[in-house]
Amino acid sequence: MITVPMWSWKPVSSLKINDHNQMVRKHLKPTMIRRPPTIVCYICGREYGTKSIAIHEPQCLKKWHNENNLLPKELRRPEPKKPEVRTITAKGFYDLDALNEAAWTSAQSTLVPCAVCGRTFLPDRLIVHQRSCKPKVAK
């Protein structure tokens, strides 16, 4: 059994909540919350962790091929190419911002514009959009 000397503790009632919060704040240093680095997929444009992107890209490309083959021939697109960004920082790391920007641009280039309104969609969503998109009637 551990014995604690009487002089080493204070009754809880003698501390007010504000006093306790101030004591805690004095001892804690402010910490910055950093997001883990992410990489944008050049096919779908979503963000994935640096370890997950290697798993995601082959699966995403396979899904892209399956969906592209289901489209009518006039809406089929060429396979997206992975952007080649070789910008290396002074410390020897790849510039993630440049890589992500190139991947985002690549993902956006796969969108197809509507012939009526000009909005861009994924090819399979364009078919759904065209059912409801009507040209504006001049008054």
Side-chain angles (χ1 to χ4, degrees):
M1 184 164 119
I2 300 175
T3 58
V4 179
M6 292 295 286
W7 52 265
S8 67
W9 61 275
K10 282 187 178 180
V12 176
S13 61
S14 70
L15 281 178
K16 293 180 183 175
I17 292 176
N18 289 339
D19 293 338
H20 178 69
N21 288 341
Q22 288 174 356
M23 286 174 34
V24 169
R25 278 191 218 121
K26 286 180 186 176
H27 297 296
L28 293 178
K29 293 181 181 177
T31 58
M32 281 185 44
I33 299 173
R34 271 189 50 201
R35 284 183 54 201
T38 57
I39 298 177
V40 176
C41 174
Y42 71 96
I43 302 164
C44 65
R46 295 184 186 141
E47 290 184 12
Y48 291 91
T50 54
K51 304 289 184 190
S52 303
I53 193 74
I55 299 166
H56 168 76
E57 281 181 351
Q59 294 174 347
C60 190
L61 190 58
K62 184 177 179 182
K63 179 182 176 186
W64 184 90
H65 280 294
N66 291 340
E67 290 177 356
N68 197 46
N69 290 338
L70 295 174
L71 293 172
K73 289 193 178 197
E74 66 273 5
L75 289 179
R76 289 188 187 164
R77 310 287 288 169
E79 180 179 319
K81 301 292 181 204
K82 188 170 187 167
E84 291 292 325
V85 177
R86 296 289 177 198
T87 308
I88 299 178
T89 62
K91 292 183 179 179
F93 296 109
Y94 288 108
D95 184 8
L96 281 183
D97 291 333
L99 183 66
N100 285 340
E101 185 66 33
W104 175 254
T105 305
S106 175
Q108 294 302 304
S109 69
T110 63
L111 300 177
V112 181
C114 172
V116 177
C117 66
R119 288 178 56 197
T120 55
F121 296 90
L122 290 170
D124 61 327
R125 299 287 86 202
L126 179 63
I127 297 168
V128 176
H129 169 76
Q130 286 175 333
R131 283 186 246 158
S132 62
C133 186
K134 306 290 182 222
K136 290 186 178 180
V137 179
K139 291 183 180 181

